[in-house]
């Protein structure tokens, strides 16, 4: 499957670019088959990441916002670092900075994850666990801002303790 190869190859390339030809060969399909279904290699990678994120990052509803938020943040942090995913988002972020064909689907893909987190926050608000005046989009930005900053720069951990501290910092 092209998406499996698209996830695995960036890690094996150790930061170097992976060609469409390499992705197609590893997936056991022709280059034209990739272009028939995806507009770019970035689109293949985004689809693979989206599939993986849906499996790895839950949108829990345990009836407690703190527990649900901790679970989502911890799963986000862990899922992005679990092989073979890790290098793929870094590759996409670099590509999105240069290529609108990667930037647009990446923005759409991240919106899906943002919406799932926002849904958790909305449920907490509906249960009265979050003040009605809280800006949910800003809270989502805070979670993903910390995630992307630490993920891309690698200056500090994205571990469960950090996930718990971040989730707790957002709640009263």
């Amino acid at each position: 499957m092209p998406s499996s190869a698209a996830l695995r190859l960036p890690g094996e390339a150790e930061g170097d670019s992976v060609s469409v030809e390499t992705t197609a060969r590893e997936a056991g399909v022709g280059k034209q088959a990739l272009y028939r279904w995806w507009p770019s290699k970035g689109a293949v990678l985004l689809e693979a990441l989206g599939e993986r994120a849906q499996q790895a990052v839950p949108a829990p509803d345990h009836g407690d916002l703190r527990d649900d938020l901790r679970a989502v943040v911890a799963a986000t942090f862990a899922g992005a670092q679990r092989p073979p995913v890790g290098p793929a988002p870094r590759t996409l972020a670099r590509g999105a900075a240069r290529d609108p064909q990667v930037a647009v689907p990446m923005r759409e893909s991240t919106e899906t994850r943002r919406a799932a987190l926002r849904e958790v926050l909305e449920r907490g608000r509906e249960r009265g666990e979050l003040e009605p005046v809280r800006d949910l989009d800003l809270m989502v930005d805070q979670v993903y801002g910390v995630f992307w900053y630490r993920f891309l720069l690698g200056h500090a951990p994205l571990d469960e303790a950090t996930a718990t501290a971040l989730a707790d910092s957002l709640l009263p």
Side-chain angles (χ1 to χ4, degrees), residues 110-153:
T110 57
E111 277 305 313
T112 301
R113 298 311 319 147
R114 289 177 55 82
L117 176 55
R118 194 174 200 291
E119 181 181 315
V120 168
L121 295 169
E122 286 171 352
R123 282 196 305 264
R125 182 188 299 189
E126 289 167 6
R127 289 190 302 259
E129 298 173 274
L130 203 56
E131 304 89 5
V133 297
R134 293 291 302 270
D135 183 336
L136 301 186
D137 291 320
L138 181 58
M139 293 175 74
V140 171
D141 285 346
Q142 289 172 301
V143 169
Y144 283 106
V146 169
F147 167 75
W148 281 106
Y149 187 76
R150 287 186 175 204
F151 185 75
L152 292 174
L153 298 181

